[in-house]
Amino acid sequence: MLSIERNPKNRVYLELLVLCFDVCDEFHLVVRNNMGSIRGLEEIINKLKVSLIEMRCESTWASTTLGDNQTANVYYFHADENAKKITKSIYQGRMPSLPEDLSFFKQGKVWLATSSHEKQ
């Protein structure tokens, strides 16, 4: 396991995103109901709709396990060119607070996991 100790920003972050899309075949974004509303979430999901695999209400995902029977909406997407373009425009060189926990998978296994509410 590799742990990135410094938060990649700007060009480095975009290069990391491109690498993830080049290597991986799937990714997820998480929307927690208790973390406030996300301005433009519906627009983001609509743009990614063509790449959407499914949305599941879950208490565990790549970087987090919630307690107290809490759940979140976990959106799973194909890591295709459409999603790459949209995701790069959403994140614009930095990890926003919401939607959170952008994580990538290769053949069903976690390749890169983030925990944005923990700044990891």
Side-chain angles (χ1 to χ4, degrees):
M1 180 172 114
L2 173 67
S3 178
I4 299 172
E5 299 295 324
R6 290 188 312 162
N7 187 22
K9 296 179 182 177
N10 303 316
R11 182 183 58 81
V12 173
Y13 188 79
L14 287 176
E15 288 176 2
L16 179 59
L17 272 181
V18 169
L19 176 64
C20 290
F21 276 98
D22 289 348
V23 171
C24 298
D25 50 22
E26 193 174 308
F27 69 99
H28 71 43
L29 293 171
V30 179
V31 178
R32 290 176 47 185
N33 298 327
N34 65 345
M35 298 292 280
S37 63
I38 302 172
R39 196 174 90 216
L41 175 64
E42 189 174 326
E43 180 182 350
I44 291 168
I45 299 302
N46 281 336
K47 287 179 180 179
L48 286 167
K49 192 175 188 173
V50 103
S51 304
L52 181 66
I53 298 169
E54 66 180 323
M55 188 282 290
R56 297 191 305 236
C57 193
E58 299 181 313
S59 59
T60 299
W61 54 91
S63 61
T64 301
T65 298
L66 298 174
D68 299 325
N69 295 319
Q70 296 179 60
T71 60
N73 294 333
V74 183
Y75 293 84
Y76 292 86
F77 300 94
H78 294 287
D80 57 23
E81 285 300 315
N82 172 67
K84 179 179 175 180
K85 176 182 164 191
I86 302 304
T87 304
K88 281 174 59 180
S89 72
I90 294 168
Y91 287 88
Q92 298 178 20
R94 61 178 175 74
M95 174 65 78
S97 59
L98 298 168
E100 62 178 326
D101 297 357
L102 172 66
S103 297
F104 288 86
F105 306 87
K106 181 178 181 178
Q107 299 174 344
K109 295 184 180 172
V110 176
W111 194 82
L112 176 82
T114 67
S115 183
S116 52
H117 66 279
E118 298 289 343
K119 304 213 183 311
Q120 298 177 338

